[in-house]
Amino acid sequence: MKNTLKFIAILATASLAFSSCIKETFPEGGTATSEQVGESSSALKASLNGIPAQMVQGYLVYGSQVHETDMAFPGTMIAMTEMLGDMYPLGSNSGYDWYRAYNVCTGMGDNSYPSYLTWFTFYQFIKANNDVIASVDIEDPEVGADLKGMAGVAYACRAFNYYMLTVLFEPVENVYTDISKVKGLTVPFVTEKTDGEISKNNPRQKHEDMIAFIISDLEKAEACLKEYTPDSGLFPSLPVVYGIRAKVHMWDEDYANAAKYARMAITAHGGAPVSKAQWLDPTSAFNTANQAWMWYGHYSAENMGNLCNFIGWVNGENDWGYASLTNPSIDRSLYNKYGENDFRRLSFYDSTVDYDYHCARGNDFLEGHDMLALKFRCKEANWEDYAVGAAVDVPFMRVEEMYLIEAEAIGMTNGLEAGIQALNSFVTTYRDPDYSCKAKELRDFQLAVLDQTRLEFWGEGWGFPNAKRLKPNVIQNYEGTNAPDASFQINCKGIKPNWNMVIPKFEYQSNKAIDGWNNPDPSGVIATTPTPVGTFAAGQYE
């Protein structure tokens, strides 16, 4: 078979959109080059298998124990939840929350860990995707379905990673920072064809060009995956491609296509939402893939440390990670949006509720820990040994998100009544039989869907893209707040300014096309004193 594999050597620097300091930043040997990948189909398969492993790799960017938020994609899930103000550390140990900068709007500048790690996590993912893409000519008629399918997985992953970079770095207007110069700009393109010279002068792309690029990748992925089924849900399949596309159209406010592709994802996936029994299982809840999970990652003892794993940050029972110090909790005002008969509320300890929470450490452990998070359980209820308790599956995409995207998109295209019917149908069928959306205006309806998304995806973070799109206001200081200290007790009009993340200095120092075109630094824009209850922090661009 000739021309099956293209032997294209790609500089690692190009795939990282970063032309200097690379040896200091990233260890060699983390990802195969496209030449190595292209030597055989078995090598291509091995490289493809490295993609899901990389997505949950502890200390991915630095390669060693430098920062405990260097957690690949699960780190972004936590960061998005904290940016929403939906997750707090309980009590006096809030300083142990290494994700607190995302919540309190401090330490988010171009020299910060949040800026650096977020940017290079996704561009390192993209490098791995590009190496596979560069190795297979999907236009060659002699290329078989398996090779095309593997390329399709890489195209789907690359599309997802650019979607994430766009959501995090494309700025939206707010009253706290001036984004007028960079409005409508996303991130640089780095493809399998990007070389070192291009990477030195590689500008941020316009929103419309990025959306077109992502959709082009998804169309390639769709064509390649129609005749190929990945080995497991660790890899994006055809339903996931439709799901990513629904998310992209939602970000682009193309509601008709968002509804279309969300429904295609639901139909192609064929799995039902997580059941009450699965949601509340004390040994397997949100640590074991089930029929609702469309795409997920998997931790093994070899790819994590005791302080650098998802369960160690989000589960209130374990005794090995920082959660044992931070006691992660849900924001009380968000918790209060669960209906009394909504079983999802039982994922968080409430001393006023008569329920056996089946705490792995005994229910007496929960006393004094109101709102403590128990959604993501330790594997086998093992709260002492991270090599067992943290060796879990982590959901990247669940079918429930498609139902919620579809509901909002239907409302925006077919009218308020149709949207409410779709939302009520999902919630009453699968979550809370007493739920009834009371919205009288489309804006209120969109916010009702956002509430359900935040309730559904606490810790997974998928309320964040929709919140950034809708700018719903962020209220963290209110009567009865459980925000742990003054720095968390802030109220922001529209969005928090740090929802527009900042490109790291290392990038624009080596890529002159970005120098002078960064998002404004949000650090310190919001005072680290409580915003008075019932008011918003003052913004200089109101």
Side-chain angles (χ1 to χ4, degrees):
M1 181 183 298
K2 64 179 181 178
N3 298 324
T4 296
L5 302 174
K6 295 192 296 182
F7 303 107
I8 302 174
I10 300 175
L11 294 174
T13 54
S15 290
L16 292 165
F18 181 56
S19 59
S20 66
C21 303
I22 190 71
K23 291 182 180 178
E24 298 175 5
T25 306
F26 299 108
E28 295 181 1
T31 309
T33 67
S34 57
E35 283 187 340
Q36 292 169 326
V37 169
E39 290 177 358
S40 69
S41 59
S42 60
L44 182 65
K45 185 72 170 179
S47 184
L48 191 74
N49 288 338
I51 289 176
Q54 185 187 52
M55 288 188 74
V56 295
Q57 179 64 53
Y59 309 121
L60 170 75
V61 173
Y62 286 110
S64 61
Q65 189 175 3
V66 174
H67 202 268
E68 302 304 340
T69 67
D70 186 3
M71 273 180 32
F73 186 66
T76 301
M77 294 165 63
I78 298 170
M80 291 192 295
T81 308
E82 290 239 12
M83 281 194 282
L84 285 167
D86 290 351
M87 179 187 293
Y88 297 134
L90 284 176
S92 60
N93 283 335
S94 64
Y96 287 102
D97 180 9
W98 289 37
Y99 287 92
R100 64 178 287 136
Y102 295 97
N103 206 320
V104 304
C105 298
T106 60
M108 293 285 286
D110 61 9
N111 256 340
S112 69
Y113 285 111
S115 169
Y116 186 88
L117 287 171
T118 303
W119 183 269
F120 288 114
T121 289
F122 286 102
Y123 274 110
Q124 189 152 342
F125 290 165
I126 288 167
K127 170 179 165 41
N129 307 153
N130 285 340
D131 285 339
V132 174
I133 289 168
S135 302
V136 181
D137 183 353
I138 63 172
E139 301 299 327
D140 187 340
E142 296 188 32
V143 174
D146 282 356
L147 290 176
K148 283 187 178 180
M150 287 186 271
V153 168
Y155 276 114
C157 288
R158 188 169 76 176
F160 176 77
N161 291 322
Y162 274 114
Y163 163 76
M164 289 303 309
L165 283 166
T166 298
V167 163
L168 293 164
F169 289 93
E170 181 179 356
V172 301
E173 291 180 318
N174 64 97
V175 302
Y176 303 103
T177 58
D178 180 9
I179 61 102
S180 57
K181 183 178 179 180
V182 292
K183 183 179 179 181
L185 297 182
T186 62
V187 300
F189 290 147
V190 179
T191 73
E192 72 280 10
K193 298 178 181 179
T194 304
D195 61 24
E197 286 304 308
I198 292 174
S199 71
K200 295 176 183 178
N201 189 23
N202 195 5
R204 299 179 70 175
Q205 296 296 317
K206 294 179 180 179
H207 169 93
E208 57 270 24
D209 294 332
M210 178 58 73
I211 296 299
F213 176 83
I214 294 172
I215 290 175
S216 175
D217 266 9
L218 291 171
E219 288 173 342
K220 293 183 180 76
E222 179 181 6
C224 291
L225 290 170
K226 282 185 173 177
E227 298 181 13
Y228 175 86
T229 301
D231 293 340
S232 72
L234 296 172
F235 305 91
S237 58
L238 188 60
V240 173
V241 171
Y242 296 145
I244 298 169
R245 187 153 181 179
K247 290 156 73 80
V248 172
H249 286 306
M250 206 66 177
W251 179 255
D252 194 38
E253 297 184 335
D254 179 356
Y255 295 114
N257 273 318
K260 171 185 173 181
Y261 282 94
R263 176 46 53 177
M264 289 173 68
I266 292 167
T267 301
H269 175 61
V274 176
S275 69
K276 178 179 179 180
Q278 290 170 323
W279 192 290
L280 300 176
D281 191 294
T283 63
S284 64
F286 286 92
N287 65 35
T288 304
N290 57 46
Q291 79 288 337
W293 294 22
M294 300 170 66
W295 185 20
Y296 57 91
H298 177 73
Y299 276 103
S300 64
E302 292 72 33
N303 69 352
M304 62 178 170
N306 66 309
L307 299 177
C308 192
N309 60 78
F310 186 63
I311 291 294
W313 276 106
V314 299
N315 166 269
E317 299 166 296
N318 78 83
D319 195 34
W320 66 75
Y322 271 99
S324 63
L325 296 170
T326 64
N327 301 133
S329 70
I330 188 172
D331 170 65
R332 187 181 296 275
S333 67
L334 179 62
Y335 173 83
N336 288 340
K337 292 181 179 181
Y338 287 118
E340 288 188 6
N341 292 316
D342 189 331
F343 63 78
R344 293 175 296 182
R345 72 200 299 256
L346 302 176
S347 293
F348 306 95
Y349 175 64
D350 182 347
S351 59
T352 69
V353 172
D354 183 17
Y355 174 70
D356 181 358
Y357 288 90
H358 300 285
C359 179
R361 301 176 73 164
N363 287 344
D364 289 346
F365 172 79
L366 299 174
E367 293 183 11
H369 292 87
D370 267 21
M371 303 295 102
L372 186 70
L374 302 170
K375 176 180 174 180
F376 301 90
R377 296 286 189 156
C378 300
K379 189 76 170 182
E380 300 177 9
N382 191 321
W383 57 273
E384 296 176 289
D385 183 356
Y386 81 94
V388 177
V392 300
D393 299 330
V394 179
F396 295 162
M397 182 183 292
R398 292 194 282 121
V399 73
E400 292 89 342
E401 186 181 6
M402 298 301 110
Y403 281 97
L404 291 165
I405 287 175
E406 181 184 50
E408 183 187 344
I410 286 174
M412 299 304 289
T413 54
N414 297 350
L416 177 62
E417 184 177 344
I420 288 176
Q421 182 178 356
L423 178 61
N424 286 344
S425 176
F426 168 72
V427 181
T428 58
T429 301
Y430 298 110
R431 299 293 177 253
D432 180 359
D434 300 326
Y435 178 80
S436 179
C437 178
K438 305 297 185 184
K440 301 297 183 184
E441 304 288 342
L442 275 174
R443 168 71 175 177
D444 292 336
F445 166 69
Q446 288 182 290
L447 295 179
V449 178
L450 176 60
D451 284 344
Q452 288 301 316
T453 306
R454 291 167 62 198
L455 294 169
E456 182 74 21
F457 293 100
W458 184 94
E460 297 163 77
W462 293 121
F464 176 77
N466 298 311
K468 188 170 177 179
R469 171 173 54 87
L470 295 173
K471 297 187 281 190
N473 299 332
V474 183
I475 309 297
Q476 295 179 201
N477 195 28
Y478 50 87
E479 294 295 338
T481 183
N482 61 326
D485 58 51
S487 59
F488 287 88
Q489 293 165 4
I490 56 177
N491 300 333
C492 297
K493 184 179 293 186
I495 69 167
K496 293 179 182 176
N498 69 346
W499 290 8
N500 299 326
M501 294 196 69
V502 178
I503 298 170
K505 180 181 289 188
F506 279 112
E507 174 62 23
Y508 68 74
Q509 284 180 333
S510 57
N511 180 359
K512 65 182 181 180
I514 290 181
D515 193 11
W517 295 92
N518 205 348
N519 295 343
D521 186 351
S523 305
V525 172
I526 304 296
T528 55
T529 56
T531 308
V533 172
T535 69
F536 292 112
Q540 59 180 318
Y541 299 101
E542 295 190 75

